[in-house]
Short mmCIF file of all heavy atoms in Angstrom, two decimals:
data_model
loop_
_atom_site.label_atom_id
_atom_site.label_comp_id
_atom_site.label_asym_id
_atom_site.label_seq_id
_atom_site.Cartn_x
_atom_site.Cartn_y
_atom_site.Cartn_z
N ALA A 27 9.10 14.03 -2.93
CA ALA A 27 9.96 14.07 -4.16
C ALA A 27 11.36 14.50 -3.92
O ALA A 27 12.41 13.95 -4.17
CB ALA A 27 9.41 14.99 -5.21
N PRO A 28 11.60 15.76 -3.11
CA PRO A 28 13.08 16.11 -2.97
C PRO A 28 13.80 14.90 -2.20
O PRO A 28 15.12 14.86 -2.47
CB PRO A 28 12.95 17.33 -1.97
CG PRO A 28 11.48 17.90 -2.41
CD PRO A 28 10.70 16.69 -2.60
N MET A 29 13.23 14.27 -1.28
CA MET A 29 13.99 13.32 -0.47
C MET A 29 14.14 12.07 -1.45
O MET A 29 15.23 11.39 -1.31
CB MET A 29 13.24 12.89 0.73
CG MET A 29 13.27 14.01 1.74
SD MET A 29 12.25 13.49 3.30
CE MET A 29 13.12 14.27 4.62
N VAL A 30 13.16 11.73 -2.23
CA VAL A 30 13.41 10.63 -3.15
C VAL A 30 14.50 10.86 -4.14
O VAL A 30 15.36 9.99 -4.38
CB VAL A 30 11.95 10.20 -3.84
CG1 VAL A 30 12.25 9.24 -5.00
CG2 VAL A 30 11.05 9.77 -2.87
N MET A 31 14.51 12.12 -4.60
CA MET A 31 15.53 12.52 -5.66
C MET A 31 16.89 12.52 -5.04
O MET A 31 17.95 12.47 -5.71
CB MET A 31 15.16 13.86 -6.30
CG MET A 31 13.84 13.89 -7.03
SD MET A 31 13.89 12.41 -8.34
CE MET A 31 12.19 12.76 -8.96
N GLU A 32 16.96 12.85 -3.74
CA GLU A 32 18.23 12.71 -3.01
C GLU A 32 18.85 11.33 -2.64
O GLU A 32 19.83 11.25 -2.20
CB GLU A 32 18.13 13.48 -1.66
CG GLU A 32 17.97 14.96 -1.86
CD GLU A 32 17.76 15.76 -0.48
OE1 GLU A 32 17.71 14.93 0.51
OE2 GLU A 32 17.58 16.97 -0.50
N GLY A 33 18.05 10.33 -3.09
CA GLY A 33 18.49 8.89 -3.03
C GLY A 33 17.78 8.18 -2.02
O GLY A 33 18.02 7.01 -1.82
N GLN A 34 16.73 8.68 -1.45
CA GLN A 34 15.88 7.85 -0.50
C GLN A 34 14.80 7.15 -1.24
O GLN A 34 13.60 7.52 -0.98
CB GLN A 34 15.31 8.88 0.60
CG GLN A 34 16.44 9.39 1.48
CD GLN A 34 15.99 10.34 2.50
OE1 GLN A 34 14.75 10.21 3.04
NE2 GLN A 34 16.67 11.25 2.99
N TRP A 35 15.16 6.30 -2.19
CA TRP A 35 14.17 5.56 -2.94
C TRP A 35 13.31 4.78 -2.18
O TRP A 35 12.10 4.54 -2.59
CB TRP A 35 14.89 4.89 -4.05
CG TRP A 35 15.65 5.73 -5.05
CD1 TRP A 35 17.00 5.99 -4.96
CD2 TRP A 35 15.09 6.40 -6.19
NE1 TRP A 35 17.28 6.85 -6.00
CE2 TRP A 35 16.14 7.01 -6.79
CE3 TRP A 35 13.78 6.44 -6.66
CZ2 TRP A 35 15.90 7.81 -7.85
CZ3 TRP A 35 13.66 7.19 -7.85
CH2 TRP A 35 14.69 7.88 -8.36
N TRP A 36 13.65 4.23 -1.00
CA TRP A 36 12.87 3.50 -0.26
C TRP A 36 11.49 4.08 0.19
O TRP A 36 10.49 3.38 0.50
CB TRP A 36 13.63 2.95 1.04
CG TRP A 36 14.18 4.13 1.76
CD1 TRP A 36 15.57 4.48 1.65
CD2 TRP A 36 13.76 4.95 2.88
NE1 TRP A 36 15.78 5.58 2.43
CE2 TRP A 36 14.75 5.84 3.20
CE3 TRP A 36 12.49 5.01 3.43
CZ2 TRP A 36 14.51 6.76 4.15
CZ3 TRP A 36 12.15 5.84 4.40
CH2 TRP A 36 13.26 6.89 4.79
N ARG A 37 11.44 5.29 0.17
CA ARG A 37 10.20 6.07 0.47
C ARG A 37 9.08 5.75 -0.49
O ARG A 37 7.89 5.89 -0.08
CB ARG A 37 10.47 7.64 0.56
CG ARG A 37 11.29 8.04 1.70
CD ARG A 37 11.55 9.64 1.53
NE ARG A 37 12.25 10.01 2.86
CZ ARG A 37 11.64 10.20 3.86
NH1 ARG A 37 10.35 10.21 4.24
NH2 ARG A 37 12.55 10.54 5.03
N LEU A 38 9.40 5.38 -1.78
CA LEU A 38 8.44 4.96 -2.69
C LEU A 38 7.66 3.78 -2.20
O LEU A 38 6.49 3.59 -2.53
CB LEU A 38 9.03 4.63 -4.09
CG LEU A 38 9.72 5.88 -4.81
CD1 LEU A 38 10.45 5.26 -6.00
CD2 LEU A 38 8.76 6.82 -5.22
N LEU A 39 8.22 2.88 -1.41
CA LEU A 39 7.72 1.76 -0.88
C LEU A 39 7.05 1.99 0.53
O LEU A 39 5.97 1.56 0.87
CB LEU A 39 8.63 0.55 -0.80
CG LEU A 39 8.17 -0.72 -0.23
CD1 LEU A 39 6.91 -1.26 -1.02
CD2 LEU A 39 9.25 -1.68 -0.17
N THR A 40 7.81 2.64 1.38
CA THR A 40 7.37 2.78 2.82
C THR A 40 6.07 3.56 2.89
O THR A 40 5.32 3.42 3.79
CB THR A 40 8.42 3.37 3.78
OG1 THR A 40 8.88 4.72 3.08
CG2 THR A 40 9.60 2.48 3.89
N ALA A 41 5.92 4.53 1.95
CA ALA A 41 4.74 5.40 1.94
C ALA A 41 3.49 4.69 1.78
O ALA A 41 2.33 4.98 2.27
CB ALA A 41 4.79 6.57 0.87
N ILE A 42 3.65 3.49 1.19
CA ILE A 42 2.33 2.57 1.04
C ILE A 42 1.77 2.07 2.29
O ILE A 42 0.70 1.78 2.44
CB ILE A 42 2.73 1.41 0.07
CG1 ILE A 42 3.26 1.90 -1.38
CG2 ILE A 42 1.59 0.39 -0.06
CD1 ILE A 42 3.92 0.81 -2.12
N PHE A 43 2.68 1.99 3.30
CA PHE A 43 2.32 1.53 4.60
C PHE A 43 1.98 2.53 5.61
O PHE A 43 1.68 2.15 6.75
CB PHE A 43 3.40 0.52 5.20
CG PHE A 43 3.62 -0.68 4.27
CD1 PHE A 43 4.71 -0.55 3.32
CD2 PHE A 43 2.80 -1.72 4.25
CE1 PHE A 43 4.84 -1.66 2.42
CE2 PHE A 43 2.94 -2.79 3.43
CZ PHE A 43 4.04 -2.78 2.51
N LEU A 44 2.12 3.83 5.26
CA LEU A 44 1.82 4.91 6.20
C LEU A 44 0.48 5.43 5.77
O LEU A 44 0.05 5.48 4.59
CB LEU A 44 2.85 6.03 6.09
CG LEU A 44 4.24 5.61 6.56
CD1 LEU A 44 5.16 6.79 6.27
CD2 LEU A 44 4.24 5.27 8.00
N HIS A 45 -0.24 5.92 6.84
CA HIS A 45 -1.63 6.56 6.58
C HIS A 45 -1.72 7.85 7.43
O HIS A 45 -1.19 8.02 8.40
CB HIS A 45 -2.74 5.60 6.80
CG HIS A 45 -2.73 4.55 5.86
ND1 HIS A 45 -2.04 3.50 5.95
CD2 HIS A 45 -3.67 4.36 4.79
CE1 HIS A 45 -2.27 2.70 4.95
NE2 HIS A 45 -3.24 3.22 4.12
N GLY A 46 -2.45 8.80 6.85
CA GLY A 46 -2.57 10.13 7.43
C GLY A 46 -3.57 10.08 8.66
O GLY A 46 -4.01 11.19 9.25
N GLY A 47 -3.87 9.04 9.23
CA GLY A 47 -4.91 8.85 10.30
C GLY A 47 -5.56 7.58 10.25
O GLY A 47 -5.61 6.92 9.28
N VAL A 48 -6.44 7.31 11.34
CA VAL A 48 -7.14 6.04 11.37
C VAL A 48 -8.32 6.02 10.28
O VAL A 48 -8.50 4.91 9.75
CB VAL A 48 -7.61 5.76 12.74
CG1 VAL A 48 -8.61 4.65 12.84
CG2 VAL A 48 -6.54 5.64 13.79
N ALA A 49 -8.88 7.04 10.02
CA ALA A 49 -9.92 7.17 9.00
C ALA A 49 -9.38 6.67 7.63
O ALA A 49 -9.93 5.96 6.92
CB ALA A 49 -10.62 8.49 8.87
N HIS A 50 -8.18 7.34 7.37
CA HIS A 50 -7.53 6.93 6.02
C HIS A 50 -7.20 5.45 5.93
O HIS A 50 -7.37 4.75 4.96
CB HIS A 50 -6.29 7.76 5.95
CG HIS A 50 -5.50 7.63 4.71
ND1 HIS A 50 -4.13 8.07 4.64
CD2 HIS A 50 -5.82 7.24 3.35
CE1 HIS A 50 -3.70 7.84 3.30
NE2 HIS A 50 -4.76 7.36 2.61
N LEU A 51 -6.73 5.02 7.11
CA LEU A 51 -6.34 3.45 7.18
C LEU A 51 -7.55 2.50 6.92
O LEU A 51 -7.58 1.70 6.23
CB LEU A 51 -5.56 3.25 8.43
CG LEU A 51 -5.30 1.67 8.78
CD1 LEU A 51 -4.27 1.23 7.68
CD2 LEU A 51 -4.62 1.62 10.15
N CYS A 52 -8.58 2.88 7.73
CA CYS A 52 -9.78 2.15 7.65
C CYS A 52 -10.42 2.11 6.23
O CYS A 52 -10.91 1.06 5.72
CB CYS A 52 -10.90 2.66 8.77
SG CYS A 52 -10.32 2.24 10.47
N ALA A 53 -10.48 3.32 5.60
CA ALA A 53 -11.07 3.40 4.19
C ALA A 53 -10.30 2.49 3.32
O ALA A 53 -10.86 1.70 2.53
CB ALA A 53 -11.04 4.84 3.77
N ASN A 54 -8.88 2.54 3.45
CA ASN A 54 -8.16 1.64 2.58
C ASN A 54 -8.31 0.20 2.84
O ASN A 54 -8.30 -0.69 1.99
CB ASN A 54 -6.70 2.03 2.66
CG ASN A 54 -6.23 3.23 1.73
OD1 ASN A 54 -6.84 3.54 0.70
ND2 ASN A 54 -5.18 3.85 2.11
N MET A 55 -8.60 -0.12 4.10
CA MET A 55 -8.71 -1.50 4.55
C MET A 55 -10.04 -2.06 3.91
O MET A 55 -10.19 -3.25 3.49
CB MET A 55 -8.82 -1.70 6.02
CG MET A 55 -7.29 -1.56 6.66
SD MET A 55 -7.24 -1.50 8.46
CE MET A 55 -8.11 -3.05 8.94
N VAL A 56 -11.12 -1.19 3.96
CA VAL A 56 -12.43 -1.61 3.48
C VAL A 56 -12.22 -1.95 1.82
O VAL A 56 -12.69 -2.96 1.42
CB VAL A 56 -13.48 -0.56 3.60
CG1 VAL A 56 -14.75 -0.77 2.81
CG2 VAL A 56 -13.82 -0.47 5.07
N TRP A 57 -11.64 -0.96 1.12
CA TRP A 57 -11.41 -1.22 -0.27
C TRP A 57 -10.54 -2.43 -0.56
O TRP A 57 -10.87 -3.12 -1.53
CB TRP A 57 -10.77 0.10 -1.00
CG TRP A 57 -11.70 1.24 -0.78
CD1 TRP A 57 -11.39 2.46 -0.22
CD2 TRP A 57 -13.13 1.32 -1.17
NE1 TRP A 57 -12.42 3.37 -0.24
CE2 TRP A 57 -13.54 2.78 -0.83
CE3 TRP A 57 -14.03 0.51 -1.64
CZ2 TRP A 57 -14.77 3.18 -1.00
CZ3 TRP A 57 -15.33 0.95 -1.95
CH2 TRP A 57 -15.73 2.32 -1.59
N LEU A 58 -9.55 -2.56 0.28
CA LEU A 58 -8.72 -3.75 0.01
C LEU A 58 -9.36 -5.05 0.25
O LEU A 58 -9.28 -6.02 -0.51
CB LEU A 58 -7.50 -3.75 1.08
CG LEU A 58 -6.51 -4.81 0.88
CD1 LEU A 58 -5.90 -4.89 -0.40
CD2 LEU A 58 -5.32 -4.62 1.99
N VAL A 59 -10.28 -5.10 1.27
CA VAL A 59 -11.11 -6.31 1.46
C VAL A 59 -11.95 -6.50 0.26
O VAL A 59 -12.15 -7.69 -0.13
CB VAL A 59 -11.77 -6.27 2.85
CG1 VAL A 59 -12.95 -7.32 3.00
CG2 VAL A 59 -10.96 -6.38 3.97
N LEU A 60 -12.74 -5.54 -0.18
CA LEU A 60 -13.60 -5.66 -1.25
C LEU A 60 -13.06 -6.28 -2.56
O LEU A 60 -13.61 -7.09 -3.13
CB LEU A 60 -14.35 -4.27 -1.62
CG LEU A 60 -15.28 -3.80 -0.55
CD1 LEU A 60 -15.79 -2.44 -0.95
CD2 LEU A 60 -16.45 -4.74 -0.41
N VAL A 61 -11.77 -5.81 -2.90
CA VAL A 61 -11.14 -6.37 -4.05
C VAL A 61 -10.26 -7.54 -3.82
O VAL A 61 -10.10 -8.42 -4.55
CB VAL A 61 -10.45 -5.33 -4.98
CG1 VAL A 61 -9.11 -4.90 -4.21
CG2 VAL A 61 -10.21 -5.76 -6.28
N GLY A 62 -9.61 -7.47 -2.61
CA GLY A 62 -8.54 -8.44 -2.28
C GLY A 62 -9.02 -9.84 -2.09
O GLY A 62 -8.35 -10.77 -2.58
N ILE A 63 -10.14 -10.11 -1.48
CA ILE A 63 -10.67 -11.35 -1.18
C ILE A 63 -10.85 -12.10 -2.52
O ILE A 63 -10.43 -13.23 -2.60
CB ILE A 63 -11.82 -11.38 -0.34
CG1 ILE A 63 -11.61 -11.02 1.15
CG2 ILE A 63 -12.62 -12.78 -0.35
CD1 ILE A 63 -12.74 -10.73 2.00
N ASP A 64 -11.51 -11.52 -3.52
CA ASP A 64 -11.83 -12.15 -4.73
C ASP A 64 -10.48 -12.42 -5.63
O ASP A 64 -10.32 -13.53 -6.17
CB ASP A 64 -12.83 -11.26 -5.55
CG ASP A 64 -13.32 -12.10 -6.70
OD1 ASP A 64 -13.97 -13.12 -6.34
OD2 ASP A 64 -13.15 -11.85 -7.89
N LEU A 65 -9.60 -11.41 -5.69
CA LEU A 65 -8.36 -11.70 -6.37
C LEU A 65 -7.52 -12.71 -5.74
O LEU A 65 -6.83 -13.51 -6.49
CB LEU A 65 -7.59 -10.39 -6.50
CG LEU A 65 -8.05 -9.37 -7.59
CD1 LEU A 65 -7.22 -8.15 -7.57
CD2 LEU A 65 -7.94 -10.05 -8.86
N GLU A 66 -7.50 -12.79 -4.41
CA GLU A 66 -6.73 -13.74 -3.77
C GLU A 66 -7.05 -15.08 -4.14
O GLU A 66 -6.14 -15.95 -4.22
CB GLU A 66 -6.83 -13.51 -2.23
CG GLU A 66 -5.65 -13.99 -1.53
CD GLU A 66 -5.66 -13.57 -0.03
OE1 GLU A 66 -6.78 -13.17 0.49
OE2 GLU A 66 -4.75 -13.63 0.54
N HIS A 67 -8.27 -15.34 -4.43
CA HIS A 67 -8.72 -16.67 -4.88
C HIS A 67 -8.52 -16.99 -6.26
O HIS A 67 -8.42 -18.16 -6.73
CB HIS A 67 -10.12 -16.86 -4.60
CG HIS A 67 -10.53 -16.94 -3.08
ND1 HIS A 67 -10.08 -17.79 -2.21
CD2 HIS A 67 -11.20 -16.02 -2.37
CE1 HIS A 67 -10.52 -17.51 -1.04
NE2 HIS A 67 -11.22 -16.44 -1.04
N LYS A 68 -8.21 -15.92 -7.11
CA LYS A 68 -8.09 -16.18 -8.49
C LYS A 68 -6.63 -16.43 -8.92
O LYS A 68 -6.27 -16.88 -9.87
CB LYS A 68 -8.63 -14.84 -9.33
CG LYS A 68 -9.99 -14.91 -9.54
CD LYS A 68 -10.39 -15.95 -10.63
CE LYS A 68 -11.80 -15.87 -11.00
NZ LYS A 68 -12.34 -17.22 -11.46
N MET A 69 -5.70 -15.75 -8.04
CA MET A 69 -4.28 -15.89 -8.60
C MET A 69 -3.43 -16.33 -7.33
O MET A 69 -3.81 -16.38 -6.21
CB MET A 69 -3.81 -14.44 -8.98
CG MET A 69 -3.97 -13.33 -7.88
SD MET A 69 -3.49 -11.68 -8.54
CE MET A 69 -4.53 -11.47 -10.03
N SER A 70 -2.17 -16.58 -7.81
CA SER A 70 -1.22 -17.07 -6.59
C SER A 70 -0.86 -15.82 -5.81
O SER A 70 -1.05 -14.70 -6.07
CB SER A 70 0.10 -17.52 -7.26
OG SER A 70 0.82 -16.41 -7.83
N ARG A 71 -0.42 -16.21 -4.54
CA ARG A 71 0.07 -15.08 -3.67
C ARG A 71 1.09 -14.28 -4.21
O ARG A 71 1.15 -13.07 -4.06
CB ARG A 71 0.53 -15.85 -2.28
CG ARG A 71 -0.59 -16.24 -1.57
CD ARG A 71 -0.20 -16.64 -0.08
NE ARG A 71 -1.17 -17.20 0.71
CZ ARG A 71 -1.02 -18.09 1.61
NH1 ARG A 71 -0.06 -18.72 1.80
NH2 ARG A 71 -2.25 -18.50 2.28
N MET A 72 2.10 -14.90 -4.96
CA MET A 72 3.14 -14.26 -5.59
C MET A 72 2.55 -13.21 -6.54
O MET A 72 3.15 -12.13 -6.57
CB MET A 72 4.16 -15.21 -6.07
CG MET A 72 5.46 -14.44 -6.59
SD MET A 72 6.28 -13.43 -5.34
CE MET A 72 6.97 -14.77 -4.29
#
């Protein structure tokens, strides 16, 4: 928050691509696969 409020708004986006370790990354990848595959077939990529 302090850095975002100082004007580093890009952190709102870059944080989405950072993870606190490999377990965190792997857990998110599993959940993304579970919902992502089905949604990807239902809607456009955009």
